[in-house]
Amino acid sequence: MTGSLPMHASAPTPISLPWRHPDRVAQLHAALAQRILILDGAMGTMIQRYVLSEADYRGDRFAEGFDRLHLAEAHTHGDGCTCASHDQRGNNDLLNLTQPGLITDIHRQYLQAGADLIETNTFNSTAIALADYGLSHLARELNQAGARLARAACAAAEAEDPARPRFVVGVLGPTNRTASLSPDVNRPGLRTITFDELVAAYRESALGLIEGGADILMIETVFDTLNAKAAVFAIDDVFQTLGARLPVMISGTITDASGRTLSGQTAEAFWYSLRHAQPLAIGLNCALGARDLRPHIDVLAQIAETHVSTHPNAGLPNAFGGYDETPDDMATVLREFAESGLLNLVGGCCGTTPAHIDAIARAVHGLPPRHVPQLEPLT
Ligand SMILES: [Zn+2]
Ligand SMILES: [Zn+2]
């Protein structure tokens, strides 16, 4: 070893990298300092309203059930091939490619309802989740397309009202695998995914979102903190590669009445497990309605020296899998959150619609955002 080399040739930590879109980050910080920002609502609930057929989901490119533009290595379609064995109905993220006008229309409705930030239609656009549809190879492309559609919708809204910036939140979903838990109660050591596999998948998806023009990345609906750590690791790696970063939001999911995530953490433990990522915001979404999330948001609001977000479901699912909380119900509960100083960002998850977002935006209008505490470092 030569004496001139440092013992650890350390790459710059992501936090020291420049912003990829410094003007947009400045606008975002200015807006967060002024008011409670509004996130959009559910994508799935809105897509259901269009009652799409299998053919609608497939469009031309996927008319035969598989991707006409893609052939796996050394494969020729023909007798005995199973490429067309996947139904695409329900593959909502595929609509970024096959029904872009419909997705744009939903984004526009949420922007009109008062959303400052809209989430890309990419919740399942990881190679891992797309494997269920035989379309893992589309991960990067779906994320690019999803971010582009959202960016264009924001640009259109900004053109109408230049005083009000709108932001694209590039969504990274949890995948359908858990890195720290077994899916089989009889085989507790079983894992169906590794940390490295998650990192590879998240790297590809994050890159696609950034290439498509996302302003922020959000790791959301986190039920397993180890999955989220893989996403944080992958995002940092992509930022290093690009030499620039975006703000990152992280939102967990409390899945049971004991107030814990699926991997067993309280909101407090969840924050301290991910605090090293220095996110723009930490929050909770999905699974519960706003009322049941309140004690957990209260904890985050007290301990997190960053912004706090929440986008709850429209209550708990009913017997038919639907959601019953009206826009007024939800807005009334969330207004109290804001009056108690708990919120920096608020929106809706499953079952919410533009009417919910409109009611929430009106309910918190004029109320000050939560003051982000400067906590003494623990020594
Ligand atoms: Zn084939
Ligand atoms: Zn949800």
Side-chain angles (χ1 to χ4, degrees), residues 63 88 116 214 291:
Q88 298 301 334
D116 299 292
R291 199 171 280 109

Side-chain angles (χ1 to χ4, degrees), residues 285-287 313 349-350:
N285 72 287
C286 208
N313 287 354
C349 200
C350 305

Side-chain angles (χ1 to χ4, degrees), residues 24 27-28 30-32 34-41 107-119 150-151 153-155 157-158 161 163-169 215-216 249 344-347 357-358 360-362 364-365:
R24 304 204 66 82
Q27 286 179 316
L28 178 61
L32 281 166
Q34 276 170 7
R35 58 199 175 85
I36 296 169
L37 298 190
I38 307 299
L39 282 158
D40 65 1
H107 286 323
R108 187 168 50 229
Q109 291 180 56
Y110 278 121
L111 289 162
Q112 281 173 357
D116 299 292
L117 306 96
I118 56 169
E119 297 169 55
R151 187 62 257 166
C154 284
E158 286 168 343
D161 182 1
R164 185 160 175 205
R166 313 283 188 136
F167 304 95
V168 175
V169 179
D215 298 307
I216 298 165
M249 296 172 64
N344 299 106
L345 302 114
V346 64
I357 298 308
D358 178 71
I360 293 166
R362 288 173 198 277
V364 304
H365 182 80

Side-chain angles (χ1 to χ4, degrees), residues 33-52:
Q34 276 170 7
R35 58 199 175 85
I36 296 169
L37 298 190
I38 307 299
L39 282 158
D40 65 1
M43 183 57 77
T45 314
M46 294 301 290
I47 290 172
Q48 275 175 19
R49 290 184 174 181
Y50 293 80
V51 195
L52 301 175

Side-chain angles (χ1 to χ4, degrees), residues 118-177:
I118 56 169
E119 297 169 55
T120 56
N121 179 39
T122 56
F123 188 80
N124 290 305
S125 294
T126 52
I128 295 165
L130 288 167
D132 286 358
Y133 294 101
L135 295 176
S136 290
H137 68 281
L138 284 182
R140 186 165 169 183
E141 188 179 354
L142 288 180
N143 281 287
Q144 288 171 338
R148 261 190 222 116
L149 294 176
R151 187 62 257 166
C154 284
E158 286 168 343
E160 279 177 28
D161 182 1
R164 185 160 175 205
R166 313 283 188 136
F167 304 95
V168 175
V169 179
V171 167
L172 294 163
T175 82
N176 47 1
R177 312 280 176 88

